[in-house]
Amino acid sequence: WFLYYLLMLVAGFALVSLLVTSWKIPPLPGWVLSAPACLLVLVPLTAIAQFFMQQSFGPDTAMGILPWPPKLFYYAIFFGFGAICFGRPEFEDILGRWWPLSFLLAVPFFFHGSHLFEQGPSGTQRIVFSLCTALYAWLMILGCLGVFRQFFARQNSRIRYVSDASYWMYLAHLPFIMLLQA
């Protein structure tokens, strides 16, 4: 299901890119892409999509062939933000700089959101649960960006080998799984 959704997001991205180019829409200002300003837009958008998901703390699992709009919108937020930030100095140099604080701030949102999920939130609690889940996701993303930029930014042939091997193992196992299922 992940690759299926990814194909739809790439197709949507290609369409949006063509529209932005043909309509000559200027790029977003740099301050919008840096933390914490980006969270003022990203967290509410993510929380709206999260509000409709009820399987777990985080996004639901895809269950059918047709994409579920809230789930596609949820992944489009993350994909779109990454696409907008790619190659921008605000993203490359600044975002994730405060990674220890991001990890620290994510902890209470995780515990409170998990507690609300176990209670089966409804009404106002559902909104708070959605906000906790969205904040946790984005704070963890910012934290992980910072950690990997600080500790893993330089070339390492062993890490590269493991990364490439795991990617190809993932792709290679798909035909076997499909064959076994058939």
Side-chain angles (χ1 to χ4, degrees):
W1 64 266
F2 173 74
L3 292 176
Y4 180 57
Y5 275 70
L6 185 59
L7 286 173
M8 287 184 268
L9 292 173
V10 169
F13 174 72
L15 179 65
V16 169
S17 293
L18 286 172
L19 292 174
V20 166
T21 304
S22 65
W23 292 344
K24 295 180 176 44
I25 297 174
L28 290 173
W31 64 268
V32 174
L33 303 178
S34 60
C38 65
L39 296 177
L40 296 174
V41 174
L42 296 172
V43 169
L45 286 174
T46 308
I48 289 168
Q50 181 64 51
F51 183 82
F52 297 100
M53 299 185 208
Q54 300 179 17
Q55 291 177 350
S56 64
F57 181 83
D60 288 350
T61 302
M63 302 304 277
I65 292 176
L66 294 177
W68 188 44
K71 186 171 182 65
L72 189 60
F73 177 65
Y74 182 86
Y75 286 124
I77 296 164
F78 295 98
F79 183 90
F81 184 69
I84 289 169
C85 289
F86 182 75
R88 300 277 304 259
E90 302 85 9
F91 177 74
E92 300 293 332
D93 300 333
I94 298 170
L95 209 58
R97 181 179 290 169
W98 302 100
W99 64 267
L101 181 61
S102 293
F103 283 144
L104 187 64
L105 290 173
V107 171
F109 291 113
F110 173 75
F111 284 116
H112 188 60
S114 296
H115 174 71
L116 288 174
F117 177 73
E118 290 172 4
Q119 293 179 341
S122 61
T124 306
Q125 282 186 330
R126 186 101 189 119
I127 295 169
V128 173
F129 165 74
S130 299
L131 286 170
C132 285
T133 306
L135 276 163
Y136 173 75
W138 284 107
L139 288 169
M140 289 300 290
I141 287 169
L142 294 176
C144 287
L145 281 171
V147 164
F148 280 91
R149 284 203 178 119
Q150 183 168 348
F151 297 110
F152 301 102
R154 55 197 168 280
Q155 291 286 338
N156 185 326
S157 60
R158 290 186 196 123
I159 300 276
R160 179 63 183 242
Y161 177 79
V162 170
S163 172
D164 289 347
S166 61
Y167 174 71
W168 287 110
M169 288 296 291
Y170 171 74
L171 289 179
H173 94 283
L174 288 175
F176 296 114
I177 297 296
M178 290 178 189
L179 182 66
L180 286 173
Q181 288 176 341

